[in-house]
Amino acid sequence: LIMAGAKETIKLKLPPEATDWLERMAASHQLPDSSKALRCCINCVAQSGARDSVERELQGGDNNDKEVEMELARQQLEWLRAESSEDGCLSATARGVIRTCMLEDEQVVFGVVRCKLKIRQCEGAQDAVDRIEKKYGSVTVQEEVWKK
């Protein structure tokens, strides 16, 4: 759980297999929606060595891509924009982030609580830790990961 509070809605063009995967992960990990699954993916990639392995997808995407609305926290949107700075294509970067997470172990993406603040200050973090412990056993907590 990270960055509770105001979210910005953006439109992304994503392939059906990516949107289907986000929906499946949201259901499997008891997340409220696919936007939350995408936020978990962005956090995982941004805060780990996985960011170096993100292969960006072609800017135009595929004719089968669906335009979807996703809600991101300000820091996540800023990170996505910074990673997209070469051509400014947020969709291409998001496709790369999702594809990286699709290849990763689910527990690495969804089984780690990543908080902007200390866990005791992070809204909903204790509930998330409890749910993750029930599903996976032990929990790894990374705190203050967005500090500059």
Side-chain angles (χ1 to χ4, degrees):
L1 183 68
I2 191 164
M3 291 173 265
K7 308 277 186 292
E8 274 190 61
T9 301
I10 63 168
K11 291 183 180 181
L12 297 170
K13 286 192 171 193
L14 301 175
E17 62 270 12
T19 57
D20 292 346
W21 182 82
L22 289 171
E23 289 169 8
R24 281 195 318 275
M25 293 302 102
S28 173
H29 297 279
Q30 301 173 352
L31 303 173
D33 54 36
S34 56
S35 284
K36 178 61 178 175
L38 176 60
R39 291 192 300 274
C40 289
C41 288
I42 290 171
N43 293 342
C44 179
V45 170
Q47 299 164 16
S48 71
R51 89 187 288 168
D52 297 332
S53 67
V54 172
E55 288 187 32
R56 298 191 59 242
E57 304 292 318
L58 296 174
Q59 181 173 340
D62 189 321
N63 287 337
N64 293 326
D65 286 357
K66 296 191 253 183
E67 186 171 87
V68 294
E69 290 188 349
M70 294 287 179
E71 292 183 341
L72 300 178
R74 181 182 50 81
Q75 291 96 332
Q76 293 164 322
L77 187 52
E78 287 172 4
W79 181 87
L80 200 61
R81 285 183 177 133
E83 293 296 308
S84 305
S85 62
E86 276 184 34
D87 60 12
C89 186
L90 299 181
S91 293
T93 304
R95 287 191 295 269
V97 166
I98 294 165
R99 189 155 325 275
T100 297
C101 290
M102 288 171 76
L103 298 172
E104 187 61 75
D105 183 293
E106 284 182 35
Q107 186 170 359
V108 170
V109 180
F110 300 101
V112 177
V113 176
R114 296 171 176 94
C115 279
K116 178 181 176 184
L117 305 169
K118 300 279 187 203
I119 289 296
R120 66 184 170 277
Q121 298 170 338
C122 188
E123 182 182 318
Q126 291 304 316
D127 289 339
V129 169
D130 292 343
R131 281 197 324 265
I132 292 168
E133 282 180 335
K134 285 178 187 169
K135 184 164 182 127
Y136 295 111
S138 65
V139 173
T140 302
V141 178
Q142 297 177 354
E143 296 184 316
E144 301 183 33
V145 295
W146 290 96
K147 279 192 168 186
K148 294 185 180 198

